[in-house]
Amino acid sequence: MEPASPLQIGDYRRYWLARFMGVFATMSMVVLLGYQLYAVARDDYGMSVAEASFQLGLLGLAQFVPLFLLTPLAGLAADRFDRRHVAAFANGIDGCVAAVLALITWADALNLPILFALAAAHGAARIFLGPSMSAIAPNIVPPALLPRAIALSSIAWQSASVAGPAVGGLIFASAAWLPHALSAGLLCCSMLLILTVRPVRATHEGPPLKPLRQIIDGLVYVWRERFLLGCITLDLFAVLLAGATALLPVFARDILFVGPEGLGLMRAAPALGAASVSLWLSFRPLQREVGMKMLWAVAAFGALTIVFAFSRHFVLSLAILAMMGAVDMVSVFIRSSLVQLFTPDDRRGRVSAISGLAISASNELGEMQSGLAAALLGAVGAVVFGGAGAIFVTLVWAWYFPELRRARSFEPQELKREVST
């Protein structure tokens, strides 16, 4: 009998748990890394709020540079090798980063160069993890269950994003090194668990291309397929501008005055909203007019970002962040499903790598943009500017990529007819 839910598939259950553990660990580590860097810049280096905010922007750049340089190799690896091994390797590297961070925190040996180096190593690990993990799911569930599998995978990601920063922030308050040690252990468990999934290697039509030609083929494919290009770049530019996340340490410490515990809750709030929507979508996935719903969700994200900038009440700020996560999840769910269903299996690794680069660029470069804008406009002005920019990008993309508006369903054959009309 065909399974009625992805959770009836043993490989998917192990994949889901490995994803949860890995995201829990990395989100806790990255949130606290930003807080520690901001604190070191302010307390040890005597920087002003504006100067320390700029350091947060540079932290995003430090994570993005290896992502940019290694994206072609990461996509190639996911399409040429066993995707389980690629994902396990990436988790192992990130586990080492967490272990080193725990050690230097315990030894009180933190400084800016070490923190930037660890951020770069984390960025390198992430770019190999993303394409391999994204490409595994379509190989272990039937195509009809893929939207639900993506929704359930998002629940793992978002619920871990809630629990990781919240638990990490609470533990950090009592022992600063302990959450990083926990992250190292969880990443090790995730690495071992993903290896228990059955071997996953991409299927190829015809003889495999040489590595360099294969990399170029993936880039050309995304460039020529306007629908994929529109989906990927919409997320890139909208979130790049509306990236308030990098400035949350500023809001936590100097605007809302809630400290590291409050920062953990603020980072967890968007994920809580997203997890709630993911749970709903796993039972009631969107089926019609998916392209327009994606565009409306991105515009709503920008509008809520502006509202967040003016909030001075902690509970209200948490509520707005949760709503931002909810509408962002609608966009992510639709875009992820459309990209996976539209892309042939032998190109999924490379397309996922390019999509992952866009997401990372929107996050890490968004953090740099936020840091630069905060140095010029202040934290509040930078967040308002970003939210308005996200709304503008949505309007431009809705006009320039009409294929996005024409996408009405998740049925692969019907989807290709709709966007090519």
Side-chain angles (χ1 to χ4, degrees):
M1 294 179 60
E2 286 289 328
S5 167
L7 293 177
Q8 293 177 321
I9 303 171
D11 282 329
Y12 184 80
R13 291 195 299 270
R14 292 187 287 275
Y15 166 86
W16 191 96
L17 186 57
R19 188 172 180 83
F20 176 86
M21 288 182 174
V23 173
F24 183 106
T26 56
M27 288 302 295
S28 172
M29 177 175 63
V30 169
V31 169
L32 294 175
L33 177 63
Y35 188 84
Q36 288 178 289
L37 182 138
Y38 185 75
V40 167
R42 293 276 279 138
D43 299 335
D44 296 351
Y45 288 75
M47 294 185 182
S48 66
V49 172
E51 291 170 334
S53 299
F54 180 68
Q55 295 300 313
L56 289 174
L58 293 180
L59 183 68
L61 180 63
Q63 296 177 68
F64 175 73
V65 169
L67 288 168
F68 177 77
L69 296 176
L70 296 175
T71 286
L73 294 178
L76 179 66
D79 281 341
R80 289 184 74 90
F81 306 114
D82 190 321
R83 289 163 176 167
R84 303 171 309 152
H85 295 161
V86 179
F89 170 78
N91 272 334
I93 296 296
D94 232 4
C96 292
V97 171
V100 172
L101 192 54
L103 180 62
I104 63 173
T105 301
W106 174 77
D108 196 22
L110 293 173
N111 59 58
L112 292 183
I114 290 178
L115 292 175
F116 280 121
L118 291 175
H122 168 69
R126 272 184 55 196
I127 193 54
F128 280 92
L129 180 66
S132 55
M133 289 294 281
S134 297
I136 285 174
N139 294 129
I140 58 178
V141 299
L145 293 180
L146 185 58
R148 286 190 176 185
I150 290 174
L152 287 168
S153 180
S154 296
I155 292 175
W157 200 96
Q158 301 296 350
S159 59
S161 298
V162 172
V167 172
L170 292 173
I171 298 175
F172 182 87
S174 59
W177 63 272
L178 189 55
H180 298 310
L182 176 62
S183 293
L186 288 174
L187 284 163
C188 181
C189 292
S190 178
M191 176 184 68
L192 297 175
L193 194 59
I194 199 65
L195 292 174
T196 66
V197 176
R198 70 173 182 267
V200 177
R201 186 185 293 268
T203 58
H204 296 274
E205 296 181 3
L209 300 174
K210 293 182 179 180
L212 181 59
R213 181 69 180 274
Q214 199 169 1
I215 291 173
I216 296 172
D217 175 71
L219 294 171
V220 171
Y221 180 76
V222 171
W223 180 258
R224 288 180 176 174
E225 293 290 345
R226 281 179 52 87
F227 178 70
L228 288 178
L229 185 64
C231 284
I232 291 171
T233 53
L234 172 66
D235 185 80
L236 166 63
F237 289 104
V239 180
L240 187 152
L241 291 170
T245 302
L247 298 178
L248 288 183
V250 182
F251 279 82
R253 174 166 169 155
D254 295 318
I255 295 177
L256 297 174
F257 307 105
V258 292
E261 299 90 345
L263 175 62
L265 294 176
M266 290 172 71
R267 284 297 298 258
L272 179 61
S276 301
V277 171
S278 297
L279 182 61
W280 172 262
L281 292 173
S282 68
F283 291 102
R284 299 288 298 273
L286 300 174
Q287 296 180 343
R288 307 304 304 172
E289 303 300 334
V290 293
M292 285 300 300
K293 289 174 181 174
M294 176 177 66
L295 292 167
W296 277 112
V298 176
F301 181 82
L304 287 167
T305 299
I306 296 174
V307 177
F308 169 77
F310 293 107
S311 171
R312 294 297 177 270
H313 299 282
F314 182 55
V315 175
L316 177 60
S317 296
L318 290 179
I320 296 170
L321 288 168
M323 288 187 284
M324 289 169 61
V327 297
D328 185 50
M329 185 63 245
V330 173
S331 171
V332 169
F333 168 77
I334 295 174
R335 180 179 51 78
S336 299
S337 299
L338 292 175
V339 169
Q340 293 288 355
L341 291 168
F342 194 87
T343 306
D345 184 63
D346 63 337
R347 289 189 173 101
R348 278 199 179 110
R350 284 163 290 163
V351 172
S352 294
I354 295 170
S355 178
L357 176 63
I359 294 171
S360 298
S362 64
N363 291 329
E364 275 72 39
L365 289 184
E367 291 181 4
M368 183 181 179
Q369 179 274 139
S370 296
L372 290 171
L376 297 173
L377 306 174
V380 173
V383 174
V384 172
F385 171 79
I391 296 173
F392 176 74
V393 165
T394 305
L395 294 174
V396 173
W397 258 241
W399 166 75
Y400 189 71
F401 293 98
E403 296 89 347
L404 302 181
R405 291 185 280 112
R406 291 199 295 261
R408 293 185 173 85
S409 71
F410 288 132
E411 168 56 41
Q413 297 304 320
E414 186 177 343
L415 172 64
K416 291 182 178 182
R417 287 197 302 270
E418 289 166 352
V419 301
S420 61
T421 302

